[in-house]
């Protein structure tokens, strides 16, 4: 009798979604049986110590008093050890009740941490509303080489269409035309438009500069959203001039400066995506990184896009490529806010403790922002958005199930990971795998962080794959 793992090509299919569903059903039956056994044992223990069965009730209040007195007297007459045995015979606590759906709960007035988290998220939720300014969108369209972008998108779209048709099975192209427009915009933005800044060069002699801390913004800098200004000094002994680096958040100003770090990159790129007609999310990470999500009508889901890395549909980049541990990843759009941490943190070893507020409070804040953003939308649009929310929630829960299934598969005898020669689709997944996983690139394909110098990356704890090829570095670096 051949074993399951002995049949060629079945290593991937035998432990797929059907197997995971069967395993879940077996686990539920096992849990129910265990609860039933615990309950029967507790009844037997109560009867052994003289406790009445729950179905046996005194026929009168006098009987109830007598029963209470008897139980009380027998309790005082027992030794401490006997009392301990009695307490251990109590019905099970059913700790699984803790896993029931959490109810959104507003932060308590005395809970300062939760109030702080709420205020922060409400403030961050205003960022994508700025992308709806018609004048700003017109300015953005002026700086985008639209002919170049659309020509590249058309060419890529035709190639993908031809590839799909050549398969002969009626499949759709991997990406739609609008997706190709955003992909072309991403390449142009990274390679030709925006500039990464480590230490800004001296504006007088163009020599390298040295960080000297921070300074207060000027009124003009504050007017353009610069809440803080980094100060640098020229390293040229004959110059020694100071160089200011305002961290602008005003997108109109960023269209002029065209430089910055991840905050400026994500802010400006998100607005340009909106200018060419994309539905945009600005994603904030509590561990000091931001990026973009674009809604794909072709895929009917939100797509990860990081302009700093020219990364497209690769949400595992940060955890498995950079070695970054994350706690909160919140996506903000003109339609609300969503906790998308499960899209970017797939394994427990990549998760940081979520202790800024209770999960019930976070759910309340997410719903509060959605209600604010959707207060004036039509009934049909609200229904469409709620349907998208439900679909995305299933997607995010699917990542949890996939992670558990993968962990269980590792310990199943006879199972093994896909060999290195397994064919991989253009989306970076093994051929024949579920389309639900088509956003996942293989771990071996996850690159190290490209933007930022080594010291800066190391100080942020984002040099995971760099460490595989280089020795340890000085963790000191600019913030």
């Amino acid at each position: 009798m051949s074993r399951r793992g002995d049949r060629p090509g079945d290593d991937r299919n035998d432990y797929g979604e059907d197997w995971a569903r069967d395993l879940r059903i077996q686990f539920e039956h096992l849990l129910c049986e265990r609860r039933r056994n615990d309950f029967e044992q507790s009844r037997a223990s109560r009867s052994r110590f003289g406790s009445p069965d729950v179905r046996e009730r005194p026929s009168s209040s006098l009987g109830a008093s007598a029963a209470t007195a008897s139980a009380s007297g027998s309790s005082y007459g027992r030794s401490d050890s006997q009392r301990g045995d009695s307490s251990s015979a109590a019905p099970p606590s059913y700790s699984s009740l803790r896993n029931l759906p959490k109810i959104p709960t507003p932060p308590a007035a005395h809970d300062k941490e939760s109030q702080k988290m709420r205020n922060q998220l409400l403030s961050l939720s205003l960022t994508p509303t700025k992308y709806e300014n018609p004048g700003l969108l017109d300015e953005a369209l002026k700086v985008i080489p639209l002919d170049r972008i659309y020509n590249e998108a058309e060419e890529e779209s035709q190639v993908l269409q031809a590839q799909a048709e050549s398969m002969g099975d009626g499949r759709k192209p991997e990406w739609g035309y609008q997706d190709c427009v955003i992909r072309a915009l991403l390449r142009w933005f990274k390679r030709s438009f925006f500039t990464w800044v480590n230490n800004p060069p001296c504006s007088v002699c163009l020599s390298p500069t040295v960080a000297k801390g921070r300074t207060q913004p000027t009124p003009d800098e504050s007017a353009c959203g610069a809440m803080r200004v980094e100060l640098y000094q020229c390293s040229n002994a004959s110059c020694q001039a100071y160089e200011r680096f305002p961290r602008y958040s005003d997108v109109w100003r960023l269209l002029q400066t065209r430089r910055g770090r991840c905050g400026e990159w994500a802010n400006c790129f998100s607005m340009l995506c909106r200018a060419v007609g994309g539905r945009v999310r600005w994603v904030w990470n509590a561990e000091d990184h931001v990026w973009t999500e674009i809604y794909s009508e072709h895929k009917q889901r939100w797509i990860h896009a990081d302009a700093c890395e020219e990364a497209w549909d690769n949400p595992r980049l940060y955890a498995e490529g950079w070695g970054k541990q994350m706690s909160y990843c919140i996506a903000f759009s003109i339609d609300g806010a969503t906790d998308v941490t499960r899209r970017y943190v797939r394994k427990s070893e990549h998760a940081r403790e979520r202790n800024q507020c209770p999960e019930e409070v976070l759910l309340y804040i997410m719903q509060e922002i959605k209600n604010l953003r959707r207060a004036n939308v039509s009934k049909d649009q609200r229904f469409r958005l709620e349907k998208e929310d439900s679909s995305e929630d299933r997607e995010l829960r699917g990542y949890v199930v996939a992670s558990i299934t993968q962990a269980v598969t590792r310990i199943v005898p006879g199972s093994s990971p896909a060999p290195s020669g397994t064919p991989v689709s253009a989306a970076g997944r093994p051929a024949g795998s579920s389309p639900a996983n088509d956003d996942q690139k293989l771990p071996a394909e996850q690159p190290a962080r490209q933007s930022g110098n080594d010291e800066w990356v190391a100080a942020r704890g984002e040099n995971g794959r760099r460490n595989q090829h280089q020795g340890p570095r000085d963790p000191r670096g600019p913030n």
Side-chain angles (χ1 to χ4, degrees), residues 290-307:
V290 286
W291 58 89
T292 307
E293 285 186 348
I294 307 294
Y295 190 78
S296 169
E297 295 291 346
H298 185 76
K299 295 277 192 178
Q300 291 292 296
R301 63 178 175 87
W302 288 95
I303 306 297
H304 158 256
D306 191 325

Side-chain angles (χ1 to χ4, degrees), residues 196 261-262 449 451-460 477-479:
W196 183 270
R261 301 200 189 106
C262 51
R449 177 156 193 169
S451 54
N453 59 29
D454 293 337
E455 289 76 13
W456 183 79
V457 172
R460 295 165 58 90
N479 295 322

Side-chain angles (χ1 to χ4, degrees), residues 149 152-153 156 179-189:
I149 298 299
E152 288 186 13
E156 183 181 23
D179 301 328
C180 294
V181 170
I182 301 297
R183 285 161 61 90
L185 183 68
L186 177 65
R187 291 189 294 268
W188 166 79
F189 188 89

Side-chain angles (χ1 to χ4, degrees), residues 55-70:
R55 294 169 296 185
E56 300 174 3
R57 300 188 180 275
S59 58
S60 65
S61 58
L62 179 60
S65 302
T68 304
S70 174

Side-chain angles (χ1 to χ4, degrees), residues 37 51 55-57 78-79 95 110-111 115-116 127 174 191 213 232 254 260 287 301 303 316 342 346 417 457:
N37 292 338
S51 300
R55 294 169 296 185
E56 300 174 3
R57 300 188 180 275
R78 295 186 198 133
S79 63
S95 60
H110 63 275
D111 189 349
Q115 294 285 355
K116 179 180 177 181
T127 300
E174 185 179 3
R191 303 175 188 181
Y232 296 84
L254 293 177
E287 284 68 43
R301 63 178 175 87
I303 306 297
R316 294 166 61 186
R342 288 175 289 181
R346 307 288 179 86
V457 172

Side-chain angles (χ1 to χ4, degrees), residues 21-254:
R21 183 171 58 255
D22 293 340
L23 184 63
R24 176 180 60 80
I25 294 174
Q26 295 177 21
F27 176 76
E28 290 176 351
H29 288 325
L30 181 62
L31 183 61
C32 290
E33 187 66 26
R34 182 173 180 179
R35 289 176 176 174
R36 188 180 302 111
N37 292 338
D38 289 344
F39 182 69
E40 293 295 336
Q41 291 177 4
S42 66
R43 287 184 57 187
S45 299
R46 287 198 302 270
S47 61
R48 188 165 56 249
F49 283 106
S51 300
D53 190 275
V54 292
R55 294 169 296 185
E56 300 174 3
R57 300 188 180 275
S59 58
S60 65
S61 58
L62 179 60
S65 302
T68 304
S70 174
S72 175
S74 60
S75 172
Y76 283 113
R78 295 186 198 133
S79 63
D80 292 341
S81 61
Q82 287 175 323
R83 277 192 218 109
D85 292 341
S86 177
S87 62
S88 65
S93 62
Y94 296 105
S95 60
S96 60
L97 292 176
R98 293 194 299 256
N99 298 323
L100 288 175
K102 299 183 183 299
I103 306 300
T105 306
H110 63 275
D111 189 349
K112 301 301 182 183
E113 290 298 321
S114 295
Q115 294 285 355
K116 179 180 177 181
M117 182 69 163
R118 175 179 176 270
N119 293 336
Q120 181 182 19
L121 295 181
L122 286 173
S123 176
L124 292 172
S125 71
L126 298 175
T127 300
T129 63
K130 303 172 184 177
Y131 307 152
E132 304 301 312
N133 185 326
L136 184 61
L137 296 176
D138 288 341
E139 289 295 323
L141 290 174
K142 292 179 182 179
V143 304
I144 301 175
L146 294 176
D147 290 341
R148 169 183 169 181
I149 298 299
Y150 289 137
N151 288 337
E152 288 186 13
E154 181 65 28
E155 181 179 351
E156 183 181 23
S157 178
Q158 292 178 358
V159 170
L160 294 175
Q161 180 68 38
Q163 290 177 347
E165 293 176 353
S166 68
M167 301 304 295
D169 55 4
R171 69 176 61 186
K172 295 195 305 182
E174 185 179 3
W175 300 106
Y177 174 74
Q178 183 63 22
D179 301 328
C180 294
V181 170
I182 301 297
R183 285 161 61 90
L185 183 68
L186 177 65
R187 291 189 294 268
W188 166 79
F189 188 89
K190 166 73 173 179
R191 303 175 188 181
S192 305
F193 184 71
F194 227 69
T195 302
W196 183 270
V197 175
N198 289 312
N199 289 18
C202 176
S203 57
V204 177
C205 65
L206 301 181
S207 298
T209 59
V210 180
K212 291 296 181 180
R214 298 180 182 178
T215 186
Q216 292 295 320
T218 64
D220 289 342
E221 292 168 342
S222 297
C224 292
M227 304 300 294
R228 59 190 175 94
V229 177
E230 298 174 1
L231 190 63
Y232 296 84
Q233 187 175 21
C234 180
S235 59
N236 187 343
S238 61
C239 180
Q240 295 289 300
Y242 283 94
E243 186 71 22
R244 300 171 67 88
F245 179 37
R247 304 302 304 275
Y248 291 119
S249 61
D250 182 78
V251 186
W252 181 82
R253 183 60 175 156
L254 293 177

